[in-house]
Amino acid sequence: MAVSDSFRPRALRLLRLLSRPGFHLFLTGLLMVLGFVLAHRLSERSGREQLSALSTERLELYASNLAAELGRHASLPSLLAIAPTLQALMQAPDSAGARRAASQMLARVNVRAGTHQILVADTRGQVLSASEALMPPARLVEALAQGRSHFFAADPNTGSTDFYLLHPLRQAGEPAGVIVVRFNLAPLEATWVDLGLRSQGERILVADDQDVVIMSSVQAWKYAVLDHADPSRRQALQASARYPQPIGPDLDLPASLEVHQGQQVKLPLPGSSGAKPMLAQQRQIVPLGLRLVALSDLTEVRQRAQLAAWGGAAFGASIGLLALYLSSRRRALRQLTQAQADLRQTHAQLEQLVDSRTAELRQTNDALKTQIAQRLQTEGELLQASKLAVLGQMSAGLSHEVNQPLTALRALARNSIRLLETGRQDAVATNLQLMDDMVERMSQITRQLKSFARKADERVEGSAALLDCVRNALLLLEHRSRALDVRTEIDVPAGLRVRAEANRLEQVLVNLFGNAIDAMQNETERRLRVLVIKQDGGRRALVRVQDSGTGVGEADLQRLFEPFFTTKPAGEGLGLGLVISAKIVQEFGGTLHAERLAHGMSFEFDLSVDTWEHQNV
């Protein structure tokens, strides 16, 4: 009983202490600090794990792309080694004719394979024959002495990295020479540079067996040292003649980096003051002796951790304030008891007001649903009407092209019956020949429509006769050009064959010719001209399509190749023709351009030439 009497005052004092606002403010501050620290650590750890996983996936992708790019021509040297022309060169290496024949063959293979240079050298590194008159790399003699099958070297003119594949040539089982295939890695490096400029969050480095950066998405780090190089090592690297410029700064990266978790490092970025924290991961490409290093910026992770920390502090503050609210609520319960009657009355009024507003909202919602249904129905009707209009335009043009020959065939058939009755065989033969010509023309139109509607092969293999493609495209649009009295001028060599797929090339021409005819509808002089201009010594052909239409303004000219942009009236164009045409030309290895003329427009694109004869039509 004495213990219970002494415990009750202490409990009452504790309850009074816990109910004071000062205690709750102290508790709120403590919870804010704990929430800030815990949320910051958890968010930073989670962000680094996510960034590490994403960087690991990208690192594998970069490694696969690099290995695929380097292995794309891996079998080319061994295939060239069995060529009779090179075998003849090895049998008579001093023969000028054998060297010239080998150089011509290597030049053809170099162009078709898309490599930078192919050369044949003897066992001392002396060039016997080459596809291009370029200086061999200084490392060739060293690679031959070490028996290498590949090596990297920098281009002294451009500073880009070249990859060399080597394959020995043998005579009577003894080494007689070597085939060297050289291709440039600048396009792949340019892709990384562009990705680094756009993302600003990830940098890629490729280091050789000397830990010197030979490829990088940051140009300032090109030929820098991954770890640390003392003066003697720098002098040795510079004297090796592997690199075209002085060795760059030390990046001070650890010698071994974790692949999955990564390691935090600090690196000074070009154009920024101070070093930035980054997550470094690496991928070893053992067969090539390369290290692929990915550097991910941790700035965003830290910013998210800061936001999460403030969120944790806010959560701790909410808990403390909730405790303060519950304490205050206990004190306010006594006062609320006296105001229950007023609260019930206010609650009833509020329920009545809510019911009224709910009914009004339901009516408004029903009206909105009705309007939405009407709008969707109207859009569907408009879409169906536009479809019927397009189908009507297509059927009208085709029926006009077929109806005239059918009418003439019917008249000639009736006339032939009468001629047979009178015994005029020669006239009947003439009528039959005319009927055959008309049927052939209808067959040609339908055959061309079927060929044009056929799905084209996206692979650019073989060649196409440019003049035939131009004529086929004009045949599809003949009913439109004849109706508008369009004068067509074709200045295309008859023997010109270009590296393109015929059906897709006709699709590009039909789009350009159709746009030209649309632009000339309201003009008094309607002239469509197609001409070809030689480029690059006859290795490429510039196809130019000119019209005498109204043209477009300067502002619209900059947007012609944007998807869904069109200058035609509503319902007459989707704005995709030029976009699709530009993509097809790009797949052919060319570029589609638009240019304003004094009277009309000019669209031009370039193609690689397969055969060129100097006979014009």
Side-chain angles (χ1 to χ4, degrees), residues 576-610:
L576 293 176
L578 288 178
V579 178
I580 296 173
S581 299
K583 182 178 181 298
I584 293 175
V585 172
Q586 185 179 7
E587 292 175 356
F588 291 160
T591 307
L592 179 61
H593 297 285
E595 182 181 356
R596 296 176 59 192
L597 302 177
H599 298 285
M601 289 289 296
S602 174
F603 289 85
E604 57 185 33
F605 58 92
D606 59 316
L607 297 173
S608 178
V609 174
D610 187 66

Side-chain angles (χ1 to χ4, degrees), residues 285-594:
I285 306 180
V286 179
L288 300 175
L290 300 178
R291 290 175 63 187
L292 183 61
V293 180
L295 299 171
S296 303
D297 195 350
L298 290 173
T299 303
E300 186 176 355
V301 174
R302 293 195 168 186
Q303 291 176 353
R304 291 180 181 178
Q306 291 290 339
L307 292 177
W310 287 113
F315 180 74
S318 64
I319 294 178
L321 293 177
L322 178 62
L324 178 61
Y325 164 75
L326 293 176
S327 176
S328 301
R329 185 174 179 275
R330 293 183 59 188
R331 293 196 304 267
L333 285 177
R334 302 183 189 91
Q335 301 174 359
L336 291 178
T337 303
Q338 300 176 359
Q340 286 182 354
D342 296 338
L343 181 61
R344 292 191 189 96
Q345 182 180 1
T346 303
H347 182 69
Q349 294 176 354
L350 181 61
E351 285 185 349
Q352 183 179 2
L353 180 60
V354 169
D355 293 339
S356 176
R357 295 292 176 85
T358 302
E360 294 177 0
L361 181 61
R362 187 179 296 109
Q363 295 177 358
T364 304
N365 191 24
D366 294 338
L368 182 59
K369 289 181 179 179
T370 303
Q371 293 178 1
I372 292 175
Q374 294 175 353
R375 183 176 64 83
L376 293 176
Q377 182 180 0
T378 304
E379 290 179 354
E381 294 174 354
L382 290 176
L383 179 60
Q384 185 65 24
S386 64
K387 292 180 181 179
L388 294 176
V390 172
L391 292 175
Q393 292 175 0
M394 293 175 59
S395 60
L398 183 59
S399 63
H400 178 75
E401 287 297 311
V402 177
N403 190 41
Q404 287 185 349
L406 287 176
T407 304
L409 285 173
R410 181 173 57 186
L412 289 172
R414 293 177 179 177
N415 189 25
S416 298
I417 295 174
R418 296 187 183 94
L419 291 174
L420 285 174
E421 293 174 353
T422 58
R424 298 173 60 183
Q425 303 295 332
D426 295 338
V428 172
T430 303
N431 286 352
L432 290 177
Q433 183 61 42
L434 292 174
M435 294 169 68
D436 182 71
D437 294 340
M438 292 180 182
V439 171
E440 176 61 25
R441 173 168 178 80
M442 288 189 295
S443 175
Q444 183 182 7
I445 292 174
T446 56
R447 183 167 60 251
Q448 184 57 30
L449 284 173
K450 288 175 61 180
S451 175
F452 184 76
R454 176 176 58 85
K455 183 178 180 182
D457 190 357
E458 295 185 358
R459 297 173 297 175
V460 183
E461 296 180 355
S463 61
L466 181 58
L467 182 58
D468 292 342
C469 294
V470 172
R471 288 173 175 171
N472 291 337
L474 290 175
L475 177 63
L476 291 176
L477 301 172
E478 184 178 5
H479 64 283
R480 297 180 58 192
S481 60
R482 187 170 62 249
L484 295 176
D485 193 17
V486 176
R487 181 164 56 92
T488 304
E489 300 177 6
I490 304 176
D491 188 5
V492 179
L496 175 58
R497 299 189 67 87
V498 294
R499 300 289 296 178
E501 199 275 327
N503 190 261
R504 292 198 291 164
L505 180 57
E506 290 176 14
Q507 182 179 356
V508 174
L509 294 173
V510 166
N511 285 333
L512 298 182
F513 295 165
N515 290 341
I517 293 175
D518 292 338
M520 296 186 292
Q521 287 184 357
N522 300 323
E523 298 297 318
T524 56
E525 180 186 0
R526 303 181 181 94
R527 179 172 53 86
L528 176 63
R529 187 183 182 193
V530 184
L531 69 154
V532 173
I533 301 174
K534 273 189 178 182
Q535 284 190 334
D536 196 14
R539 288 189 291 269
R540 299 191 69 81
L542 180 67
V543 183
R544 183 173 293 170
V545 179
Q546 299 177 343
D547 62 74
S548 59
T550 55
V552 297
E554 187 65 30
D556 293 339
L557 184 63
Q558 305 297 327
R559 302 182 59 194
L560 280 181
F561 297 97
E562 293 182 6
F564 303 105
F565 174 77
T566 179
T567 59
K568 297 178 182 179
E572 296 186 9
L574 296 177
L576 293 176
L578 288 178
V579 178
I580 296 173
S581 299
K583 182 178 181 298
I584 293 175
V585 172
Q586 185 179 7
E587 292 175 356
F588 291 160
T591 307
L592 179 61
H593 297 285

Side-chain angles (χ1 to χ4, degrees), residues 1-64:
M1 188 68 179
V3 174
S4 176
D5 293 339
S6 62
F7 176 75
R8 184 179 293 112
R10 295 178 181 178
L12 292 176
R13 286 196 299 270
L14 180 60
L15 290 175
R16 285 195 296 268
L17 177 64
L18 295 178
S19 62
R20 290 179 181 178
F23 172 79
H24 290 285
L25 292 177
F26 171 77
L27 179 62
T28 300
L30 180 61
L31 292 175
M32 287 179 63
V33 173
L34 292 176
F36 185 91
V37 174
L38 291 177
H40 185 277
R41 290 184 178 180
L42 293 176
S43 176
E44 186 174 15
R45 180 184 300 174
S46 175
R48 287 189 57 175
E49 291 176 353
Q50 294 178 1
L51 182 62
S52 176
L54 180 61
S55 180
T56 300
E57 294 178 0
R58 292 180 177 176
L59 195 61
E60 292 295 331
L61 179 61
Y62 285 128
S64 300

